[in-house]
Amino acid sequence: MYSQDLLKELEAFYKEVDDSTSNIYALYKSKLKCRKGCSSCCQDDIEIFGVEAALIRNNYPQLLEEGHPAKVGACAFLDAEGGCRIYESRPLICRVFGMPLRWLEGPKRHQKDIRSVCALNFENETINDLPVEHCLHMDPLEEKLVLLQMRSGKPSLDKISLRKLFPNH
């Protein structure tokens, strides 16, 4: 069982992430197409850490017990209009996807700046031209999420498919 304190820490972390993404959204609002109903990135193969799954189970027990997942191929939590049924508790990947993201890869002395953005956003532009501070740096965010998982008492870094959170389906 994941402690309520740990789930509150995860929610506080999500708020920090939301604040960061809202700053980027404010800068590039006209270039970002992400809106309710734009759900082409909401695929069936999304997997999350146990601590994130625990928050969803904690906050949406009735949906998980009585509801039905969306059709196979789409994220299990999409509604008929392409909206997210767990929006307030959506996992990290769902909070950041679509934004200009960056990672550092390779050995420290030769790290390469890797960037990614949803193909619908920044059309006909390259995000490599954006200032570094205008891209959400994923390394510290992913590290913090891993640390939360490790502190849970269930330190496995195995991930869980969102669809598998529905116990009867």
Side-chain angles (χ1 to χ4, degrees), residues 17-169:
V17 171
D18 291 347
D19 290 346
S20 296
T21 58
S22 68
N23 292 338
I24 292 171
Y25 184 81
L27 284 170
Y28 297 107
K29 188 159 100 172
S30 67
K31 298 175 187 291
L32 297 170
K33 310 293 185 228
C34 303
R35 306 274 186 285
K36 183 178 180 178
C38 177
S39 57
S40 61
C41 62
C42 304
Q43 304 286 323
D44 224 357
D45 56 357
I46 297 170
E47 294 184 333
I48 60 174
F49 284 119
V51 66
E52 292 182 292
L55 183 65
I56 295 167
R57 286 181 181 119
N58 185 71
N59 292 349
Y60 298 93
Q62 187 173 2
L63 171 62
L64 295 174
E65 280 298 320
E66 299 170 11
H68 299 282
K71 66 181 183 332
V72 172
C75 174
F77 289 103
L78 284 179
D79 65 20
E81 290 79 40
C84 180
R85 295 184 285 171
I86 59 165
Y87 189 81
E88 294 302 319
S89 300
R90 69 196 184 283
L92 176 64
I93 187 64
C94 303
R95 290 170 188 275
V96 301
F97 200 86
M99 295 284 134
L101 307 175
R102 67 184 286 264
W103 295 265
L104 296 175
E105 285 189 1
K108 206 165 200 132
R109 294 180 68 191
H110 304 286
Q111 284 186 326
K112 186 175 177 183
D113 184 37
I114 306 296
R115 297 188 185 192
S116 177
V117 70
C118 173
L120 300 176
N121 296 334
F122 291 89
E123 287 182 309
N124 303 316
E125 296 182 46
T126 175
I127 63 165
N128 290 329
D129 295 336
L130 294 180
V132 166
E133 63 273 11
H134 292 187
C135 296
L136 194 60
H137 189 182
M138 291 303 297
D139 295 327
L141 299 179
E142 290 172 343
E143 182 177 310
K144 185 157 187 177
L145 185 56
V146 166
L147 290 173
L148 284 168
Q149 179 63 39
M150 296 301 289
R151 288 188 29 241
S152 71
K154 299 177 188 273
S156 170
L157 295 181
D158 293 340
K159 293 193 173 184
I160 301 162
S161 165
L162 288 176
R163 184 164 297 278
K164 290 188 177 169
L165 295 179
F166 286 87
N168 301 320
H169 301 281

